[in-house]
Amino acid sequence: MKKLMLGAALSLILAAGLSPRDARAAGWHYYDPDCPIAVGAKSMKFVAMQPKKSVDRECGALPDTGPSVIVLDAADNELRDMNWDVRVLRAKDESGAADPEADSVSRLPVQKFRNGMVNFDQDFRQAGTYVLYVKLTSDDGGKSFEGRHPFSVGLMTEEEFYLYIGFGVFAAAAGGVAFTLWRQGKLGFKIPNFAKPS
């Protein structure tokens, strides 16, 4: 029984020392996980990261506010020949609804990215839901593609919520077992009664 309690205590200490972000394996390559964005009938890849805080690449949730890097990549040659209008929008609600004109937080100069990739710094000062908006237009204006990718900054994700709930249930159960064993005198030690005068 003592070994069981010792194992539970060690597990509790290790779980307390690791945040949900630290508990995930972090690969040091851009598209892990792979985060595609539909741009009309075509697609691009999106990834966001906070290199000053973590090596994790994120698709939908940056863990904290502050300096961040956003990367967009288009493998399609037609997209590489178009003019890119890239903006970060502040969403009106969790659904990601945002107006490219009224809700723009930042905007890159409209230009071509012949190598198909753009990465830029973005300092998020407020937690909330944001949208990466991209519109690609041909030189003559005859063809265009538009895409949006909502993501959150500094908000608790559903995965983290359930992880914290599970941790709380585990901690309560381990504490209850330890208290019961102590009351039954099976832990092998007694907690001194400080209320009694010595």
Side-chain angles (χ1 to χ4, degrees):
M1 187 58 82
K2 286 182 183 179
K3 288 182 180 178
L4 180 64
M5 287 305 299
L6 182 61
L10 286 173
S11 297
L12 189 62
I13 290 168
L14 286 173
L18 292 175
S19 72
R21 291 190 306 272
D22 296 333
R24 294 196 298 265
W28 188 252
H29 32 94
Y30 273 126
Y31 302 110
D32 181 15
D34 188 359
C35 313
I37 304 177
V39 184
K42 299 181 180 289
S43 70
M44 302 175 79
K45 289 184 178 181
F46 163 91
V47 72
M49 62 200 94
Q50 295 178 319
K52 292 184 178 178
K53 298 180 180 181
S54 168
V55 296
D56 289 348
R57 267 89 172 124
E58 303 291 349
C59 284
L62 282 168
D64 299 308
T65 56
S68 306
V69 176
I70 294 175
V71 181
L72 272 175
D73 186 11
D76 189 291
N77 286 330
E78 183 178 15
L79 297 181
R80 294 179 179 210
D81 288 333
M82 300 179 100
N83 299 295
W84 294 25
D85 182 359
V86 181
R87 309 180 197 193
V88 175
L89 312 177
R90 179 73 190 233
K92 293 179 169 71
D93 53 40
E94 290 183 7
S95 71
D99 180 346
E101 298 301 329
D103 300 318
S104 182
V105 174
S106 68
R107 182 179 185 181
L108 298 182
V110 177
Q111 60 187 297
K112 293 181 181 178
F113 293 96
R114 299 281 190 190
N115 65 353
M117 180 182 281
V118 59
N119 65 317
F120 60 96
D121 296 327
Q122 178 69 45
D123 189 5
F124 292 101
R125 298 185 180 180
Q126 292 182 325
T129 304
Y130 292 84
V131 178
L132 187 285
Y133 169 85
V134 59
K135 183 174 183 180
L136 298 98
T137 309
S138 61
D139 287 335
D140 62 5
K143 187 180 280 191
S144 69
F145 300 102
E146 187 175 315
R148 294 169 180 252
H149 182 75
F151 61 98
S152 67
V153 176
L155 302 178
M156 183 180 292
T157 65
E158 189 174 319
E159 177 186 78
E160 289 175 326
F161 174 76
Y162 288 118
L163 187 60
Y164 287 129
I165 292 292
F167 177 75
V169 169
F170 172 76
V177 169
F179 179 74
T180 302
L181 291 174
W182 171 72
R183 294 275 297 186
Q184 294 172 353
K186 295 182 179 178
L187 281 183
F189 65 90
K190 292 186 177 181
I191 298 174
N193 186 351
F194 297 105
K196 287 185 179 180
S198 53

